[in-house]
Amino acid sequence: MSTTTGVRAAAGAVGGNALRPDGALKVTGAFAYASDMRWDGMVWGATLRSPHPAARIVRLDTARALALPGVLAVLTHRDVPGRPRYGMKVADQPVLAADRVRHQGEPVALVAADHPETARRALRLIDVEYTPLPALTDPEEALRGAGPLVHEERVDGRRGNIVRHVRIRHGDTAGARRRAEVVVSGVYEVGMQDQAFLGPESGLAVPGEDGGVDMFVSTQWLHDDQRQMCAALGLPPEKVRLTLSGVGGAFGGREDVSVQIHAAMLALHTGRPVKMSYNRQESFFGHVHRHPAKMWFEHGATRTGRLLFVRAKLLFDGGAYTSTSQVVIANGSYFAAGAYEVPHAEIDGYAVFTNNPPCGAMRGFGAVQSCYGVESNLDKLAHALGTDPVELRLRNAMTTGTVLPTGQPVDGPAPAARLLRRLRDRPLPPRPDPAADPFGLPGGQGRTTRGESVHRGVGYALGVKAIGFSGGVDDSSTARVRLSLAGGEPVAEIHTAAAECGQGIVTVQAQIARTELGVERVVVLPADTTAGDAGSSSASRITWMSGGAVQGACKVLREKLTHLGDGPVAALLAEHGPLEAEFTYRHRRTHPIDDERGQGDAHIAFAFAAHRAVVEVDTELGLVKVVELATAQDVGKAVNPRAVEGQIEGGSAQGLGLALMEELHVSGGQVRNPSFTDYLIPTIADMPAVPIDLLELPHPDSPYGLNGVGEPPTLSSTPAIANALRAATDLELARVPVRPEDIAAGR
């Protein structure tokens, strides 16, 4: 790792390599995840799901299931006590299907039983008669208006299968196209990727004496879950209390509710604590996925390689319900010109309904798809110009002051060219020696080659994405910090609702308190809804927003201590008692883009990342070995450098997965591979060395100058690998993940 800073801070403070309080517990297997929870008198919940992607429910009979010994309850849509639909942005998803199902795996009924196997047996005894309906599974048909309506009556008042059309017009694209000396176009596709977190959805609902419910659940946003639960349960917020339980990864897949409403319904109905925990197959149906995409790109440039215009059309398959599709397609469209200065842009982004599985948030949130399209077409443009792909990118890279297609200038650091140069100047890894290291070759574990038909490729890609919530959202986070004495020493207690999903926000909050208050002992209380809303652990925002809230509360406490006197903190607390402060942090105001031309000051900050991929490809067998995946990223300020590196390595691994292996195969609306046997994710044998080059260019508006780090690595890693494969094979390879047959059949 190289950085722009010199000496690191002490381990426990901002800028130091602080140890995670949950690290040893997770390594030794002692950490309690949501699926490990127990409660006296607990019973088990289970969900009956539709086998059809589109069908009418003709008959639903629960009598046989209710008669099974050990079954305490069987609930259907008639038992939903409050609003029958829920959703993050649009409440269009039934809590339990009433007369129609719109995707395979849609929840139809719930069971509570005294044993998990009894609950599963009861599910098989629920009699449901379906009349299958024609399923709309082609997003292009949905865009054309062909095929059936997924929602005959939409709750947002609109009609048709288009969830949202984002229209961006910047400059004079038609005139620029006439002036362009070289024009290239391409069509690029991205498959449906799953978040593939290792801890399946799980939660425990405990009925309260006040008629409410306490929910212990793995999630990314406690207060939004509470909002949706209150509506469905018909209860006020003070009667729906949520506490974060151990989260085994998230990556966007826990933004939408899963077990929350169902477990609470069963608990309130039975008067018993109810645990719901999905198995691996059910998890694939229990959360949203990355939107599959088809994208049409056209770039025009002068013969010297100066970009004049970009035209892009993005089509994202949102599946059966809205989830966050409206925002995902907006984000993909915002950055469809990439991290480049393009004076003229015409961008149309469409998200559509189909009877495929619902899609929503996943790390990178729409910008992953458009980055793959942009970076693929830029390599095609470089080839047409006879220019080195890196030189083309450097000639057009964004700088501070570059105006985006949405009309907003980039007002923070924009080191796009600097990142690329640092990667270009790195020595390439040596070629593998088949005799000394057969595992360095494609298929090396199976010794399929000794180097014949193996070709090396090198590919680059550059990514940019907004940080935090955009488009006029009043984004905020609240923290409460208390200073008291314990054993004669000052102790800081931090209470927020920030969800720890493995990214390290618990550690960061403690680092900030040590830095601001000068105390060694810090306790971060469990995240729950008795604290103020922290927003979602998504959009690479939580360290910025909750970190800003903790910093603000600590500064208020410092002021209080100053007013008390000049003595040591321990002495002041001994004399005056504990001190407490609450602070709500807000970033600067943003604005929605307009519907006609897509112009607006929509973002608070931007993050840049670049990757260089080096691959060895066996062109006869189509096997690929990624030898190295070097990356450079501006992180503003590495609050915990070791954790930052972990985030970048993890994001790069997910990008490699999307490039080469990760895809949910959906045919006729049916998921064909809902298991880790058939849905492949990178293992240690697949991951190459990931040299990380950190830049720390402070952002002027953030706490400590930090910037979001979690999502940018997923942007440029996938297209860098795809561009390297094209360099090695001279094939178009216009779809990811690239499969062996795509390479072998293309020879």
Side-chain angles (χ1 to χ4, degrees):
M1 177 184 81
S2 73
T3 71
T4 59
T5 58
V7 179
R8 281 286 171 206
V14 168
N17 285 317
L19 293 177
R20 296 176 52 133
D22 58 348
L25 295 173
K26 288 179 176 177
V27 169
T28 59
F31 184 80
Y33 290 97
S35 55
D36 297 316
M37 290 185 293
R38 297 287 187 275
W39 201 280
D40 289 344
M42 182 181 80
V43 297
W44 298 81
T47 309
L48 180 70
R49 298 179 180 274
S50 166
H52 303 285
R56 295 280 182 196
I57 298 176
V58 178
R59 185 175 65 89
L60 176 57
D61 189 345
T62 63
R64 289 199 305 148
L66 277 168
L68 183 68
V71 171
L72 284 76
V74 182
L75 305 183
T76 70
H77 69 95
R78 297 183 183 88
D79 301 298
V80 179
R83 189 171 66 185
R85 293 183 177 87
Y86 69 96
M88 281 195 70
K89 303 297 180 183
V90 177
D92 63 351
Q93 193 156 348
V95 173
L96 292 169
D99 58 351
R100 181 174 174 177
V101 293
R102 293 178 173 85
H103 69 94
Q104 182 194 21
E106 182 156 353
V108 175
L110 307 172
V111 167
D114 59 6
H115 191 278
E117 182 55 38
T118 303
R120 286 190 287 268
R121 288 176 57 202
L123 294 180
R124 295 191 289 271
L125 295 176
I126 299 174
D127 296 313
V128 188
E129 182 181 342
Y130 298 96
T131 299
L133 297 171
L136 176 64
T137 59
D138 184 345
E140 292 190 72
E141 285 189 15
L143 182 62
R144 291 196 304 268
L149 292 174
V150 177
H151 296 271
E152 294 171 348
E153 294 184 10
R154 289 173 52 170
V155 299
D156 59 8
R158 300 182 181 182
R159 185 167 177 81
N161 287 319
I162 297 178
V163 180
R164 184 179 182 184
H165 172 204
V166 177
R167 188 176 189 271
I168 297 174
R169 299 292 185 270
H170 187 71
D172 178 12
T173 307
R177 194 179 193 284
R178 289 192 296 270
R179 297 193 303 274
E181 297 170 290
V182 179
V183 176
V184 299
S185 60
V187 183
Y188 306 98
E189 295 185 64
V190 175
M192 183 184 290
Q193 187 180 21
D194 189 76
Q195 295 86 352
F197 39 71
L198 297 185
E201 294 81 351
S202 189
L204 174 67
V206 182
E209 294 181 357
D210 62 351
V213 64
D214 288 277
M215 187 80 213
F216 302 86
V217 67
S218 54
T219 181
Q220 290 179 246
W221 191 350
L222 288 163
H223 282 82
D224 201 67
D225 290 0
Q226 182 189 47
R227 174 186 63 81
Q228 295 179 69
M229 289 178 67
C230 287
L233 299 174
L235 293 173
E238 61 269 18
K239 289 193 175 183
V240 180
R241 301 165 291 267
L242 281 81
T243 300
L244 186 72
S245 59
V247 181
F251 316 115
R254 299 190 201 270
E255 279 205 86
D256 296 76
V257 301
S258 55
V259 302
Q260 290 91 322
I261 297 173
H262 294 164
M265 283 176 57
L266 290 169
L268 291 170
H269 187 87
T270 62
R272 300 274 293 274
V274 174
K275 178 177 177 178
M276 296 190 79
S277 189
Y278 295 166
N279 62 25
R280 179 57 56 192
Q281 178 172 338
E282 187 174 16
S283 180
F284 277 102
F285 295 103
H287 62 258
V288 298
H289 315 287
R290 190 185 298 286
H291 291 72
K294 188 170 185 179
M295 301 169 290
W296 295 259
F297 276 88
E298 184 179 72
H299 282 92
T302 65
R303 291 212 177 273
T304 60
R306 180 66 64 183
L307 289 175
L308 295 178
F309 78 89
V310 61
R311 294 173 63 199
K313 175 183 171 184
L314 316 177
L315 177 57
F316 286 14
D317 183 355
Y321 295 103
T322 301
S323 182
T324 53
S325 288
Q326 297 168 321
V327 193
V328 172
I329 189 58
N331 204 50
S333 302
Y334 292 151
F335 300 103
Y340 305 101
E341 191 159 333
V342 187
H344 307 280
E346 181 179 307
I347 299 163
D348 289 280
Y350 299 90
V352 296
F353 288 122
T354 66
N355 292 114
N356 293 323
C359 292
M362 185 174 173
R363 195 176 193 169
F365 205 73
V368 166
Q369 292 92 320
S370 56
C371 185
Y372 167 70
V374 169
E375 294 298 302
S376 298
N377 215 47
L378 277 184
D379 260 31
K380 181 178 283 190
L381 177 60
H383 182 75
L385 289 166
T387 300
D388 177 75
V390 176
E391 288 302 320
L392 177 64
R393 287 170 169 82
L394 290 172
R395 199 166 300 164
N396 296 282
M398 274 185 182
T399 60
T400 301
T402 294
V403 177
L404 300 172
T406 56
Q408 178 178 352
V410 176
D411 59 354
R418 188 171 172 183
L419 297 174
L420 283 170
R421 290 192 184 100
R422 291 170 83 123
L423 289 176
R424 181 195 60 187
D425 295 343
R426 287 188 62 87
L428 288 170
R431 290 183 178 272
D433 180 352
D437 181 20
F439 296 100
L441 293 171
Q445 291 89 338
R447 295 183 180 270
T448 62
T449 182
R450 294 183 179 176
E452 62 273 19
S453 303
V454 173
H455 301 271
R456 169 166 281 198
V458 180
Y460 292 81
L462 179 64
V464 62
K465 183 191 177 295
I467 295 302
F469 295 157
S470 300
V473 174
D474 182 20
D475 195 4
S476 65
S477 180
T478 298
R480 187 164 60 245
V481 179
R482 185 175 189 268
L483 265 177
S484 62
L485 289 178
E489 294 183 36
V491 177
E493 288 183 345
I494 302 171
H495 194 193
T496 74
E500 172 62 79
C501 305
Q503 82 281 36
I505 187 59
V506 168
T507 313
V508 163
Q509 291 177 88
Q511 287 178 276
I512 291 173
R514 292 190 187 101
T515 301
E516 296 294 331
L517 298 174
V519 300
E520 287 299 318
R521 296 178 61 184
V522 179
V523 176
V524 180
L525 300 176
D528 59 36
T529 50
T530 65
D533 193 351
S536 176
S537 284
S538 63
S540 299
R541 64 175 288 282
I542 201 69
T543 296
W544 182 322
M545 299 300 296
S546 287
V550 172
Q551 183 190 43
C554 289
K555 286 182 176 179
V556 173
L557 282 179
R558 283 213 320 262
E559 292 175 4
K560 290 184 177 183
L561 286 168
T562 300
H563 291 311
L564 293 178
D566 295 329
V569 173
L572 293 172
L573 293 174
E575 181 180 354
H576 298 281
L579 297 176
E580 188 172 294
E582 185 171 284
F583 186 86
T584 298
Y585 179 90
R586 282 181 164 82
H587 61 61
R588 72 184 186 191
R589 186 180 178 189
T590 63
H591 304 274
I593 63 169
D594 70 82
D595 292 336
E596 182 60 28
R597 297 188 61 82
Q599 303 298 289
D601 186 8
H603 312 295
I604 63 164
F606 306 92
F608 294 83
H611 278 81
R612 184 189 72 186
V614 180
V615 302
E616 303 284 354
V617 185
D618 186 326
T619 55
E620 285 191 0
L621 298 178
L623 300 179
V624 175
K625 175 73 175 180
V626 182
V627 178
E628 184 184 83
L629 189 55
T631 180
Q633 183 172 329
D634 171 31
V635 301
K637 171 68 175 178
V639 177
N640 187 344
R642 188 177 290 124
V644 167
E645 289 186 328
Q647 285 287 289
I648 293 173
E649 287 178 357
S652 299
Q654 286 187 310
L656 182 147
L658 180 59
L660 295 175
M661 60 189 72
E662 290 191 47
E663 182 176 9
L664 272 178
H665 293 281
V666 182
S667 175
Q670 301 275 350
V671 178
R672 303 300 181 182
N673 59 329
S675 75
F676 278 171
T677 300
D678 301 307
Y679 181 89
L680 303 180
I681 59 176
T683 68
I684 194 170
D686 302 298
M687 281 304 296
V690 184
I692 298 172
D693 191 354
L694 293 186
L695 271 69
E696 293 184 288
L697 305 180
H699 194 280
D701 298 331
S702 69
Y704 308 107
L706 65 84
N707 207 349
V709 302
E711 292 179 292
T714 62
L715 305 178
S716 47
S717 48
T718 297
I721 294 170
N723 285 337
L725 293 177
R726 296 181 184 114
T729 64
D730 203 28
L731 297 173
E732 189 170 1
L733 301 177
R735 186 184 191 280
V736 288
V738 177
R739 308 249 171 230
E741 57 266 29
D742 300 331
I743 296 170
R747 294 180 66 246

